[in-house]
Structure formats: C-alpha cells, structure tokens
Amino acid sequence: NLSAGDFEGGETEDDSRIDLPRIRRIINSNSFAETNESESVIDKWKQLGRQVTKADMERENAAKKMTRGSGLWLKESLFNHSCAPNCTWTQVGDQIFIRSSRPIKKGEELCISYTSLEKTFKEREEIFANWTGPKQGFSCVCDCCNLHRSNGNIRRLAADIHSAYNTAAENVTLRGVPMAKAAELAMPQARRKYIIDQFENIPNQQKLDVAKLYVMEGTYIKSLGDDAGALRAFEKALEIGYASRGG
C-alpha cells in the first residue's frame, strides 16, 4: 500500500465510501511531478545578448516551482529516496521510465531522488520533514545526509560553497561580471582550495557541493591561461557529479 502519511481518515460505517482526503494525501506523497527546473529562459536570453534584470530572475525562479503535470504509478512510487541516487526517472506522456544512472553493486538498493539535488542539506531536511504535511514527513538517512547531520564543519563548509556559487552566478547574470572574476570575488582561490582539502577523504557521492568549487576553480584557472589545469578541474567536477547523481 502507498503511504498517506500520518493521516488516519474519518470513521465510517460504510466501508465502500471513497475516502477523498486520504486519496489526496496518497497522491501528494507518492506522485511524480514534472517541473520547469530544467528549462531556463534566462540562459537563452544571455545567449542572445539580452540584459537580464532581477525581476527576470524572480519570474524564472517562480516558474521553476510550477508543476507542468504529475502522475501516480504504483510500483514506481515504492522507490525510496537517496541524496546520492543510483537511478533517475523520466516522465513521457502517461508513462514513466526509471533507469540506472551509474554502476550498481549487487544487493545495492535502487533509489531515486525526491527533490532537486541542487538544494542545500538544510533545504532538503525541511522539505522531507513536511513531506506529507506540516511536521509530518521523514528524515533522510542516506550517507550524504548522515555526514552533514553528524559533522557540523562539513555542513557549514557546504553552506559556504552554495552561497558563494549563487553569489558568483548572480554577479555574472545580473551585473555582467566575467565568470572568472565573479568566482574570485565570491570565494578567493585560497579559500576554495582549503575547502576542497577538507573534503579530500570524503567519497564523491557525499560531496556534490564540491563540484561547484571545481567549476569555479576551473573558470578562474582558465582566465590565467592554464588550460590543462582548467580541464583537470572541470573533469573533477564531472567525476563528482557523476558519482553523486549519475549521468
């Protein structure tokens, strides 16, 4: 049976009555929804040379939160969540396809992600805690979340990465600052290297945020004329991204 959260439903003497509130909770908790997160009008405007304003960014962020459609598939809804999933899903019309996104070991559980992996640990925890209703959800116990939950230093450094990356992206998009300069202004190279060293012994699957640092580092190194060094940084970003969310 699919979960309806902590909802018990109303008492009734007629077992044949359709319990609409419970059905709604089941759909909200288990359906797959297509959003606009992957489509960026802003990126297209930038390619055409159009100046992007803060209002444009706000409208796009609002649009990304809108759902284009959703569906409920009984077997597929039984997949558990992981912040380092080994499977991804694609919705085509009234069908859903789930495929492996990286090599899977024998006996390893097949998992998908219930939300965008670009969100911070704090944002994901809040989403999951209210998954079926206010304060009615779950706590993710994947290796990635357990690391952030138990290690305050790693949690703070990951939040610093997220903040710096967003600041750099905003400076590039809204103010036209060159990418290399934006990266250095948001987080100097010395700080980037320090944080990368702190994550050195952590498996790639648990440090998706660090991929953003390597993108910033590669962009900066490229501006200094070190193409080989930039390529190594970008390859490292891809390596971490593949391990964390697959290809």
Side-chain angles (χ1 to χ4, degrees):
N1 294 332
L2 297 181
S3 171
D6 295 332
F7 182 76
E8 299 296 337
E11 295 183 2
T12 175
E13 297 179 357
D14 182 5
D15 292 336
S16 65
R17 192 191 76 152
I18 297 176
D19 194 340
L20 290 178
R22 181 178 179 83
I23 291 175
R24 282 194 290 268
R25 289 291 292 272
I26 290 175
I27 292 174
N28 290 338
S29 301
N30 298 278
S31 63
F32 290 79
E34 281 281 5
T35 66
N36 299 309
E37 287 190 355
S38 62
E39 297 183 353
S40 175
V41 175
I42 296 297
D43 288 343
K44 294 178 181 178
W45 284 349
K46 287 168 61 180
Q47 292 172 5
L48 295 173
R50 170 173 169 172
Q51 181 64 40
V52 179
T53 67
K54 187 174 182 178
D56 291 331
M57 295 289 291
E58 291 174 349
R59 281 193 293 270
E60 169 143 310
N61 288 334
K64 285 183 177 181
K65 296 177 182 179
M66 295 178 65
T67 299
R68 292 185 295 186
S70 63
L72 183 64
W73 290 269
L74 301 184
K75 290 182 179 179
E76 288 75 5
S77 293
L78 296 176
F79 275 77
N80 279 329
H81 163 84
S82 173
C83 295
N86 51 24
C87 294
T88 61
W89 61 272
T90 304
Q91 186 178 330
V92 181
D94 61 355
Q95 300 185 63
I96 189 168
F97 299 89
I98 294 181
R99 65 179 180 84
S100 61
S101 55
R102 56 178 170 82
I104 298 174
K105 298 178 182 178
K106 182 178 179 179
E108 182 180 353
E109 181 181 9
L110 302 180
C111 293
I112 59 176
S113 176
Y114 289 0
T115 189
S116 170
L117 297 177
E118 297 301 321
K119 298 184 183 298
T120 64
F121 167 71
K122 183 178 180 180
E123 290 171 335
R124 296 196 306 273
E125 273 216 315
E126 185 175 347
I127 290 172
F128 299 148
N130 300 283
W131 190 251
T132 58
K135 297 183 180 180
Q136 294 181 16
F138 66 94
S139 180
C140 180
V141 293
C142 72
D143 291 341
C144 182
C145 284
N146 282 340
L147 171 66
H148 284 73
R149 192 174 292 115
S150 62
N151 191 320
N153 184 50
I154 291 297
R155 187 168 62 249
R156 286 188 294 272
L157 293 177
D160 286 349
I161 295 171
H162 186 79
S163 176
Y165 189 84
N166 285 347
T167 297
E170 184 176 292
N171 281 333
V172 171
T173 303
L174 297 181
R175 301 176 180 85
V177 178
M179 290 194 296
K181 183 177 180 180
E184 191 67 8
L185 288 173
M187 182 179 286
Q189 186 181 43
R191 176 65 175 171
R192 293 195 300 268
K193 289 185 175 181
Y194 168 78
I195 295 179
I196 287 174
D197 287 343
Q198 296 301 301
F199 281 85
E200 180 64 30
N201 296 320
I202 295 175
N204 284 343
Q205 292 179 350
Q206 301 174 34
K207 58 181 183 184
L208 180 58
D209 292 306
V210 179
K212 298 176 181 178
L213 277 189
Y214 277 109
V215 170
M216 295 170 70
E217 183 68 7
T219 301
Y220 179 71
I221 293 176
K222 170 69 175 176
S223 72
L224 301 179
D226 184 359
D227 292 348
L231 180 59
R232 287 193 296 270
F234 291 138
E235 287 177 339
K236 190 64 178 179
L238 288 173
E239 179 184 318
I240 294 173
Y242 180 75
S244 301
R245 58 190 175 194

PDB file of all heavy atoms in Angstrom, residues 147-173:
ATOM      1  N   LEU A 147      26.320  12.352   6.950  1.00  0.00           N
ATOM      2  CA  LEU A 147      27.579  13.088   7.062  1.00  0.00           C
ATOM      3  C   LEU A 147      27.317  14.528   7.488  1.00  0.00           C
ATOM      4  O   LEU A 147      27.947  15.037   8.427  1.00  0.00           O
ATOM      5  CB  LEU A 147      28.325  13.068   5.729  1.00  0.00           C
ATOM      6  CG  LEU A 147      29.550  13.981   5.632  1.00  0.00           C
ATOM      7  CD1 LEU A 147      30.638  13.506   6.580  1.00  0.00           C
ATOM      8  CD2 LEU A 147      30.073  14.035   4.198  1.00  0.00           C
ATOM      9  N   HIS A 148      26.395  15.193   6.812  1.00  0.00           N
ATOM     10  CA  HIS A 148      26.097  16.597   7.128  1.00  0.00           C
ATOM     11  C   HIS A 148      25.459  16.738   8.509  1.00  0.00           C
ATOM     12  O   HIS A 148      25.699  17.718   9.214  1.00  0.00           O
ATOM     13  CB  HIS A 148      25.166  17.191   6.078  1.00  0.00           C
ATOM     14  CG  HIS A 148      25.848  17.527   4.787  1.00  0.00           C
ATOM     15  ND1 HIS A 148      26.258  16.559   3.897  1.00  0.00           N
ATOM     16  CD2 HIS A 148      26.217  18.711   4.250  1.00  0.00           C
ATOM     17  CE1 HIS A 148      26.836  17.141   2.857  1.00  0.00           C
ATOM     18  NE2 HIS A 148      26.836  18.433   3.052  1.00  0.00           N
ATOM     19  N   ARG A 149      24.671  15.751   8.877  1.00  0.00           N
ATOM     20  CA  ARG A 149      23.984  15.817  10.164  1.00  0.00           C
ATOM     21  C   ARG A 149      24.963  15.626  11.329  1.00  0.00           C
ATOM     22  O   ARG A 149      24.802  16.232  12.390  1.00  0.00           O
ATOM     23  CB  ARG A 149      22.890  14.752  10.208  1.00  0.00           C
ATOM     24  CG  ARG A 149      21.907  14.901  11.365  1.00  0.00           C
ATOM     25  CD  ARG A 149      20.775  13.887  11.240  1.00  0.00           C
ATOM     26  NE  ARG A 149      19.929  14.177  10.095  1.00  0.00           N
ATOM     27  CZ  ARG A 149      19.807  13.384   9.029  1.00  0.00           C
ATOM     28  NH1 ARG A 149      20.494  12.261   8.959  1.00  0.00           N
ATOM     29  NH2 ARG A 149      18.999  13.718   8.036  1.00  0.00           N
ATOM     30  N   SER A 150      25.979  14.815  11.114  1.00  0.00           N
ATOM     31  CA  SER A 150      26.896  14.478  12.207  1.00  0.00           C
ATOM     32  C   SER A 150      28.158  15.340  12.227  1.00  0.00           C
ATOM     33  O   SER A 150      28.881  15.351  13.225  1.00  0.00           O
ATOM     34  CB  SER A 150      27.306  13.003  12.103  1.00  0.00           C
ATOM     35  OG  SER A 150      27.996  12.761  10.877  1.00  0.00           O
ATOM     36  N   ASN A 151      28.428  16.051  11.133  1.00  0.00           N
ATOM     37  CA  ASN A 151      29.670  16.816  11.034  1.00  0.00           C
ATOM     38  C   ASN A 151      29.333  18.289  10.778  1.00  0.00           C
ATOM     39  O   ASN A 151      29.083  18.693   9.638  1.00  0.00           O
ATOM     40  CB  ASN A 151      30.549  16.256   9.911  1.00  0.00           C
ATOM     41  CG  ASN A 151      31.952  16.813   9.924  1.00  0.00           C
ATOM     42  OD1 ASN A 151      32.168  18.001  10.172  1.00  0.00           O
ATOM     43  ND2 ASN A 151      32.935  15.964   9.654  1.00  0.00           N
ATOM     44  N   GLY A 152      29.355  19.079  11.843  1.00  0.00           N
ATOM     45  CA  GLY A 152      28.998  20.490  11.726  1.00  0.00           C
ATOM     46  C   GLY A 152      29.917  21.273  10.817  1.00  0.00           C
ATOM     47  O   GLY A 152      29.480  22.182  10.106  1.00  0.00           O
ATOM     48  N   ASN A 153      31.213  20.917  10.801  1.00  0.00           N
ATOM     49  CA  ASN A 153      32.168  21.635   9.957  1.00  0.00           C
ATOM     50  C   ASN A 153      31.858  21.418   8.479  1.00  0.00           C
ATOM     51  O   ASN A 153      31.833  22.373   7.689  1.00  0.00           O
ATOM     52  CB  ASN A 153      33.589  21.164  10.261  1.00  0.00           C
ATOM     53  CG  ASN A 153      34.633  21.947   9.480  1.00  0.00           C
ATOM     54  OD1 ASN A 153      34.624  23.176   9.462  1.00  0.00           O
ATOM     55  ND2 ASN A 153      35.536  21.234   8.822  1.00  0.00           N
ATOM     56  N   ILE A 154      31.618  20.173   8.102  1.00  0.00           N
ATOM     57  CA  ILE A 154      31.275  19.864   6.712  1.00  0.00           C
ATOM     58  C   ILE A 154      29.975  20.553   6.326  1.00  0.00           C
ATOM     59  O   ILE A 154      29.836  21.088   5.216  1.00  0.00           O
ATOM     60  CB  ILE A 154      31.145  18.338   6.514  1.00  0.00           C
ATOM     61  CG1 ILE A 154      32.517  17.671   6.642  1.00  0.00           C
ATOM     62  CG2 ILE A 154      30.502  18.013   5.172  1.00  0.00           C
ATOM     63  CD1 ILE A 154      33.516  18.101   5.591  1.00  0.00           C
ATOM     64  N   ARG A 155      29.028  20.576   7.226  1.00  0.00           N
ATOM     65  CA  ARG A 155      27.729  21.217   6.958  1.00  0.00           C
ATOM     66  C   ARG A 155      27.909  22.703   6.695  1.00  0.00           C
ATOM     67  O   ARG A 155      27.318  23.263   5.755  1.00  0.00           O
ATOM     68  CB  ARG A 155      26.787  20.979   8.140  1.00  0.00           C
ATOM     69  CG  ARG A 155      25.360  21.460   7.913  1.00  0.00           C
ATOM     70  CD  ARG A 155      24.423  20.940   8.983  1.00  0.00           C
ATOM     71  NE  ARG A 155      24.759  21.390  10.319  1.00  0.00           N
ATOM     72  CZ  ARG A 155      25.230  20.598  11.272  1.00  0.00           C
ATOM     73  NH1 ARG A 155      25.430  19.316  11.048  1.00  0.00           N
ATOM     74  NH2 ARG A 155      25.516  21.082  12.479  1.00  0.00           N
ATOM     75  N   ARG A 156      28.746  23.360   7.505  1.00  0.00           N
ATOM     76  CA  ARG A 156      28.978  24.802   7.329  1.00  0.00           C
ATOM     77  C   ARG A 156      29.747  25.090   6.044  1.00  0.00           C
ATOM     78  O   ARG A 156      29.447  26.061   5.331  1.00  0.00           O
ATOM     79  CB  ARG A 156      29.742  25.349   8.540  1.00  0.00           C
ATOM     80  CG  ARG A 156      28.876  25.469   9.803  1.00  0.00           C
ATOM     81  CD  ARG A 156      29.629  26.184  10.904  1.00  0.00           C
ATOM     82  NE  ARG A 156      30.775  25.402  11.380  1.00  0.00           N
ATOM     83  CZ  ARG A 156      30.698  24.507  12.351  1.00  0.00           C
ATOM     84  NH1 ARG A 156      29.547  24.264  12.941  1.00  0.00           N
ATOM     85  NH2 ARG A 156      31.780  23.848  12.744  1.00  0.00           N
ATOM     86  N   LEU A 157      30.733  24.259   5.737  1.00  0.00           N
ATOM     87  CA  LEU A 157      31.517  24.468   4.517  1.00  0.00           C
ATOM     88  C   LEU A 157      30.654  24.281   3.274  1.00  0.00           C
ATOM     89  O   LEU A 157      30.774  25.034   2.303  1.00  0.00           O
ATOM     90  CB  LEU A 157      32.703  23.509   4.479  1.00  0.00           C
ATOM     91  CG  LEU A 157      33.800  23.727   5.527  1.00  0.00           C
ATOM     92  CD1 LEU A 157      34.879  22.656   5.409  1.00  0.00           C
ATOM     93  CD2 LEU A 157      34.411  25.118   5.387  1.00  0.00           C
ATOM     94  N   ALA A 158      29.763  23.291   3.305  1.00  0.00           N
ATOM     95  CA  ALA A 158      28.860  23.064   2.169  1.00  0.00           C
ATOM     96  C   ALA A 158      27.931  24.253   1.975  1.00  0.00           C
ATOM     97  O   ALA A 158      27.644  24.658   0.840  1.00  0.00           O
ATOM     98  CB  ALA A 158      28.060  21.784   2.392  1.00  0.00           C
ATOM     99  N   ALA A 159      27.485  24.836   3.088  1.00  0.00           N
ATOM    100  CA  ALA A 159      26.618  26.024   3.002  1.00  0.00           C
ATOM    101  C   ALA A 159      27.406  27.206   2.425  1.00  0.00           C
ATOM    102  O   ALA A 159      26.859  28.001   1.638  1.00  0.00           O
ATOM    103  CB  ALA A 159      26.069  26.367   4.381  1.00  0.00           C
ATOM    104  N   ASP A 160      28.683  27.326   2.785  1.00  0.00           N
ATOM    105  CA  ASP A 160      29.534  28.386   2.240  1.00  0.00           C
ATOM    106  C   ASP A 160      29.692  28.237   0.726  1.00  0.00           C
ATOM    107  O   ASP A 160      29.661  29.224  -0.021  1.00  0.00           O
ATOM    108  CB  ASP A 160      30.917  28.356   2.902  1.00  0.00           C
ATOM    109  CG  ASP A 160      30.900  28.882   4.335  1.00  0.00           C
ATOM    110  OD1 ASP A 160      29.869  29.466   4.731  1.00  0.00           O
ATOM    111  OD2 ASP A 160      31.912  28.695   5.039  1.00  0.00           O
ATOM    112  N   ILE A 161      29.869  26.990   0.275  1.00  0.00           N
ATOM    113  CA  ILE A 161      30.004  26.732  -1.165  1.00  0.00           C
ATOM    114  C   ILE A 161      28.738  27.160  -1.895  1.00  0.00           C
ATOM    115  O   ILE A 161      28.800  27.846  -2.922  1.00  0.00           O
ATOM    116  CB  ILE A 161      30.266  25.234  -1.422  1.00  0.00           C
ATOM    117  CG1 ILE A 161      31.620  24.808  -0.828  1.00  0.00           C
ATOM    118  CG2 ILE A 161      30.238  24.941  -2.927  1.00  0.00           C
ATOM    119  CD1 ILE A 161      31.848  23.301  -0.864  1.00  0.00           C
ATOM    120  N   HIS A 162      27.620  26.740  -1.379  1.00  0.00           N
ATOM    121  CA  HIS A 162      26.329  27.048  -2.006  1.00  0.00           C
ATOM    122  C   HIS A 162      26.129  28.561  -2.107  1.00  0.00           C
ATOM    123  O   HIS A 162      25.722  29.079  -3.149  1.00  0.00           O
ATOM    124  CB  HIS A 162      25.203  26.424  -1.185  1.00  0.00           C
ATOM    125  CG  HIS A 162      23.846  26.547  -1.802  1.00  0.00           C
ATOM    126  ND1 HIS A 162      23.410  25.723  -2.817  1.00  0.00           N
ATOM    127  CD2 HIS A 162      22.834  27.419  -1.557  1.00  0.00           C
ATOM    128  CE1 HIS A 162      22.188  26.072  -3.175  1.00  0.00           C
ATOM    129  NE2 HIS A 162      21.816  27.089  -2.425  1.00  0.00           N
ATOM    130  N   SER A 163      26.447  29.274  -1.030  1.00  0.00           N
ATOM    131  CA  SER A 163      26.277  30.726  -1.004  1.00  0.00           C
ATOM    132  C   SER A 163      27.210  31.407  -2.005  1.00  0.00           C
ATOM    133  O   SER A 163      26.801  32.306  -2.757  1.00  0.00           O
ATOM    134  CB  SER A 163      26.542  31.252   0.404  1.00  0.00           C
ATOM    135  OG  SER A 163      26.471  32.661   0.441  1.00  0.00           O
ATOM    136  N   ALA A 164      28.488  30.987  -2.034  1.00  0.00           N
ATOM    137  CA  ALA A 164      29.469  31.595  -2.936  1.00  0.00           C
ATOM    138  C   ALA A 164      29.105  31.329  -4.396  1.00  0.00           C
ATOM    139  O   ALA A 164      29.214  32.231  -5.243  1.00  0.00           O
ATOM    140  CB  ALA A 164      30.863  31.043  -2.633  1.00  0.00           C
ATOM    141  N   TYR A 165      28.676  30.120  -4.694  1.00  0.00           N
ATOM    142  CA  TYR A 165      28.330  29.765  -6.072  1.00  0.00           C
ATOM    143  C   TYR A 165      27.145  30.595  -6.556  1.00  0.00           C
ATOM    144  O   TYR A 165      27.141  31.100  -7.687  1.00  0.00           O
ATOM    145  CB  TYR A 165      28.006  28.276  -6.150  1.00  0.00           C
ATOM    146  CG  TYR A 165      27.833  27.760  -7.561  1.00  0.00           C
ATOM    147  CD1 TYR A 165      28.935  27.388  -8.320  1.00  0.00           C
ATOM    148  CD2 TYR A 165      26.568  27.614  -8.128  1.00  0.00           C
ATOM    149  CE1 TYR A 165      28.789  26.903  -9.605  1.00  0.00           C
ATOM    150  CE2 TYR A 165      26.409  27.139  -9.417  1.00  0.00           C
ATOM    151  CZ  TYR A 165      27.531  26.777 -10.147  1.00  0.00           C
ATOM    152  OH  TYR A 165      27.379  26.314 -11.432  1.00  0.00           O
ATOM    153  N   ASN A 166      26.140  30.751  -5.698  1.00  0.00           N
ATOM    154  CA  ASN A 166      24.970  31.551  -6.069  1.00  0.00           C
ATOM    155  C   ASN A 166      25.333  33.024  -6.241  1.00  0.00           C
ATOM    156  O   ASN A 166      24.816  33.708  -7.138  1.00  0.00           O
ATOM    157  CB  ASN A 166      23.873  31.406  -5.013  1.00  0.00           C
ATOM    158  CG  ASN A 166      23.163  30.068  -5.099  1.00  0.00           C
ATOM    159  OD1 ASN A 166      23.309  29.345  -6.087  1.00  0.00           O
ATOM    160  ND2 ASN A 166      22.409  29.727  -4.075  1.00  0.00           N
ATOM    161  N   THR A 167      26.223  33.513  -5.372  1.00  0.00           N
ATOM    162  CA  THR A 167      26.664  34.902  -5.489  1.00  0.00           C
ATOM    163  C   THR A 167      27.403  35.127  -6.807  1.00  0.00           C
ATOM    164  O   THR A 167      27.181  36.119  -7.504  1.00  0.00           O
ATOM    165  CB  THR A 167      27.591  35.274  -4.314  1.00  0.00           C
ATOM    166  OG1 THR A 167      26.863  35.170  -3.083  1.00  0.00           O
ATOM    167  CG2 THR A 167      28.116  36.703  -4.459  1.00  0.00           C
ATOM    168  N   ALA A 168      28.283  34.199  -7.154  1.00  0.00           N
ATOM    169  CA  ALA A 168      29.033  34.309  -8.410  1.00  0.00           C
ATOM    170  C   ALA A 168      28.082  34.282  -9.604  1.00  0.00           C
ATOM    171  O   ALA A 168      28.217  35.081 -10.543  1.00  0.00           O
ATOM    172  CB  ALA A 168      30.046  33.179  -8.515  1.00  0.00           C
ATOM    173  N   ALA A 169      27.109  33.358  -9.568  1.00  0.00           N
ATOM    174  CA  ALA A 169      26.153  33.239 -10.672  1.00  0.00           C
ATOM    175  C   ALA A 169      25.324  34.510 -10.821  1.00  0.00           C
ATOM    176  O   ALA A 169      25.045  34.972 -11.936  1.00  0.00           O
ATOM    177  CB  ALA A 169      25.250  32.036 -10.441  1.00  0.00           C
ATOM    178  N   GLU A 170      24.952  35.106  -9.688  1.00  0.00           N
ATOM    179  CA  GLU A 170      24.160  36.338  -9.716  1.00  0.00           C
ATOM    180  C   GLU A 170      24.973  37.494 -10.288  1.00  0.00           C
ATOM    181  O   GLU A 170      24.458  38.305 -11.066  1.00  0.00           O
ATOM    182  CB  GLU A 170      23.681  36.672  -8.306  1.00  0.00           C
ATOM    183  CG  GLU A 170      22.766  37.886  -8.241  1.00  0.00           C
ATOM    184  CD  GLU A 170      22.235  38.127  -6.845  1.00  0.00           C
ATOM    185  OE1 GLU A 170      21.435  37.301  -6.369  1.00  0.00           O
ATOM    186  OE2 GLU A 170      22.629  39.131  -6.220  1.00  0.00           O
ATOM    187  N   ASN A 171      26.253  37.572  -9.925  1.00  0.00           N
ATOM    188  CA  ASN A 171      27.108  38.643 -10.455  1.00  0.00           C
ATOM    189  C   ASN A 171      27.301  38.516 -11.967  1.00  0.00           C
ATOM    190  O   ASN A 171      27.344  39.521 -12.683  1.00  0.00           O
ATOM    191  CB  ASN A 171      28.468  38.623  -9.762  1.00  0.00           C
ATOM    192  CG  ASN A 171      28.420  39.257  -8.382  1.00  0.00           C
ATOM    193  OD1 ASN A 171      27.580  40.117  -8.126  1.00  0.00           O
ATOM    194  ND2 ASN A 171      29.308  38.838  -7.500  1.00  0.00           N
ATOM    195  N   VAL A 172      27.392  37.286 -12.441  1.00  0.00           N
ATOM    196  CA  VAL A 172      27.545  37.061 -13.879  1.00  0.00           C
ATOM    197  C   VAL A 172      26.250  37.414 -14.609  1.00  0.00           C
ATOM    198  O   VAL A 172      26.259  38.123 -15.623  1.00  0.00           O
ATOM    199  CB  VAL A 172      27.928  35.592 -14.163  1.00  0.00           C
ATOM    200  CG1 VAL A 172      27.864  35.310 -15.665  1.00  0.00           C
ATOM    201  CG2 VAL A 172      29.316  35.296 -13.631  1.00  0.00           C
ATOM    202  N   THR A 173      25.134  36.930 -14.076  1.00  0.00           N
ATOM    203  CA  THR A 173      23.843  37.080 -14.756  1.00  0.00           C
ATOM    204  C   THR A 173      23.299  38.495 -14.686  1.00  0.00           C
ATOM    205  O   THR A 173      22.853  39.051 -15.698  1.00  0.00           O
ATOM    206  CB  THR A 173      22.817  36.109 -14.145  1.00  0.00           C
ATOM    207  OG1 THR A 173      23.319  34.772 -14.241  1.00  0.00           O
ATOM    208  CG2 THR A 173      21.496  36.183 -14.889  1.00  0.00           C
TER     209      THR A 173
END
